[in-house]
Amino acid sequence: MIKLLKIGFCFSIVVLVFFNVTIDAEAEEQINLPSVFEKEIETNYGLNFSMNTTDNLDVIYTYKGTPVEVIKHIEDYNSVEKGQKDSDMGKKFPNAEKLRPASKLYNCHSYAWYSQSESNPYWMDNPSAYYLDGSYTEVSSPKVGDIICYFNNAGTTNTTSDDINLHSGIVTEILIGTTNNVCGNSNLVMVTSKWGSYGLYRHRGDECLYTSYGGGSASYIKFYRHIHNTIYKWKNETKHFASCFCGIQELQAHAIKKGTNKCIVCGGPASSGFDDLTALRTIKASKNGSYILPNGVIVLDEKDIYAYLNGTLVFSDISIVSSFILL
């Protein structure tokens, strides 16, 4: 039986190889297939991206249950090999901060989309299922925690449907400035990402292997965010239970509109806000007069409700004065 096995690095053009054998789920295969793009980088920098290890095919799943083909790596580099690869990257990218040493156990897509654990054993060639099945949504304005993807125009100039996602990372900081047009506006974010079989780096978005800065072919970026599909269950007069299909589960404080005692999120009865604040000198409040009670309940001015639901409402410590009206 013919099996199609996809082997690739996070920034590589996918290499399709046909094996005229039957692959058992427990069988092991030899992999040593650096891609065209990896060879391009090797030529530019004299670096070695080749892999030669025993690996297993495996499957993981997106938040919505879509299967994603991965390779489970069994062997990693020894300390000498890691040191050499880290040294190579340090010379070529002095501005990048190395957070972890080189490893061929996991790659950029696996780190960004699946697990940030250092013991993550999965190498993921194609993460598109995560944003095609709705587990993640494309956003135009990035926030810390969003996933950044670097694409090249592999298809025609009129469509991006067959462009290749060369690299994925996690946005860790939003920078102020103007774009330098190196892979779109990638210079306006700081990113943490795994560089193929090299290390994990914190770097400015444009200063990495995959853009023209590093000799790569990525020409534009996209940002993706998991929008929680949250279900709320009332617990008591101060809290409700929130859960999402992604696995997030937590107790949250009720939020009520001033003058009411009904949570605007879960719909259950909540403290109306008549708590004794005389012993307090400060209270957390917004500029519009919304505030957080000592029991944790959030009392919202109508002007702040949208910002609260959108996750952008800011509370600051302010002094309690006689003119401060609670309800």
Side-chain angles (χ1 to χ4, degrees):
M1 180 174 65
I2 298 177
K3 290 282 186 176
L4 178 63
L5 179 61
K6 297 180 181 178
I7 308 299
F9 289 76
C10 67
F11 45 79
S12 65
I13 297 175
V14 177
V15 180
L16 300 180
V17 182
F18 287 89
F19 290 88
N20 212 356
V21 297
T22 297
I23 302 178
D24 183 79
E26 300 297 324
E28 298 178 344
E29 294 294 329
Q30 290 297 117
I31 296 177
N32 185 17
L33 296 168
S35 71
V36 174
F37 182 66
E38 291 149 12
K39 289 180 178 178
E40 173 188 331
I41 299 296
E42 289 177 358
T43 300
N44 290 344
Y45 293 123
L47 306 180
N48 180 18
F49 279 80
S50 63
M51 301 177 63
N52 187 11
T53 186
T54 301
D55 305 302
N56 292 329
L57 296 179
D58 209 337
V59 174
I60 59 176
Y61 297 88
T62 69
Y63 291 147
K64 290 197 171 182
T66 303
V68 179
E69 182 182 89
V70 292
I71 301 166
K72 186 175 183 180
H73 285 174
I74 306 302
E75 300 174 359
D76 201 356
Y77 296 117
N78 61 41
S79 58
V80 174
E81 291 170 327
K82 289 186 178 185
Q84 182 59 56
K85 294 176 80 67
D86 291 345
S87 176
D88 289 339
M89 284 294 99
K91 294 175 183 177
K92 305 302 179 183
F93 297 90
N95 294 329
E97 176 187 2
K98 180 173 69 71
L99 303 178
R100 294 179 191 168
S103 172
K104 56 186 173 183
L105 295 183
Y106 62 101
N107 66 341
C108 68
H109 295 319
S110 182
Y111 175 85
W113 298 96
Y114 174 68
S115 172
Q116 287 78 60
S117 171
E118 193 166 7
S119 60
N120 173 11
Y122 293 126
W123 191 279
M124 184 189 304
D125 179 62
N126 181 6
S128 62
Y130 284 88
Y131 45 86
L132 293 178
D133 76 352
S135 293
Y136 284 77
T137 300
E138 184 180 353
V139 293
S140 56
S141 299
K143 296 196 306 185
V144 171
D146 288 348
I147 295 180
I148 180 174
C149 292
Y150 296 70
F151 291 84
N152 75 339
N153 295 103
T156 68
T157 58
N158 296 322
T159 179
T160 59
S161 61
D162 54 354
D163 289 2
I164 294 177
N165 185 345
L166 299 175
H167 182 57
S168 298
I170 298 176
V171 175
T172 57
E173 184 181 350
I174 308 299
L175 304 177
I176 304 299
T178 57
T179 179
N180 61 7
N181 294 315
V182 175
C183 197
N185 59 348
S186 60
N187 65 301
L188 299 182
V189 291
M190 293 295 294
V191 177
T192 294
S193 66
K194 177 72 163 52
W195 292 3
S197 58
Y198 286 86
L200 180 72
Y201 291 89
R202 185 175 187 270
H203 58 94
R204 203 173 73 180
D206 59 323
E207 296 181 348
C208 62
L209 280 174
Y210 312 96
T211 69
S212 59
Y213 178 94
S217 60
S219 57
Y220 68 96
I221 57 174
K222 289 185 177 183
F223 297 99
Y224 296 93
R225 182 180 307 159
H226 173 58
I227 308 298
H228 292 292
N229 184 18
T230 310
I231 298 174
Y232 300 97
K233 184 178 180 180
W234 186 89
K235 178 176 176 61
N236 54 40
E237 287 198 348
T238 61
K239 294 181 176 65
H240 52 247
F241 186 75
S243 62
C244 175
F245 61 74
C246 71
I248 294 294
Q249 297 182 343
E250 61 181 359
L251 280 174
Q252 297 177 345
H254 291 313
I256 61 176
K257 183 180 176 182
K258 285 183 179 180
T260 72
N261 62 354
K262 182 179 180 180
C263 178
I264 65 171
V265 177
C266 73
S271 168
S272 60
F274 293 103
D275 285 59
D276 183 10
L277 301 180
T278 57
L280 300 176
R281 294 184 178 181
T282 62
I283 190 172
K284 286 191 175 295
S286 75
K287 63 181 181 179
N288 288 322
S290 300
Y291 55 89
I292 302 176
L293 292 170
N295 64 11
V297 173
I298 302 167
V299 182
L300 296 170
D301 183 277
E302 189 168 4
K303 294 188 291 294
D304 282 339
I305 291 177
Y306 177 80
Y308 171 77
L309 294 175
N310 197 39
T312 58
L313 183 59
V314 176
F315 291 95
S316 303
D317 289 333
I318 67 168
S319 298
I320 297 179
V321 295
S322 58
S323 61
F324 187 77
I325 301 175
L326 297 182
L327 287 173

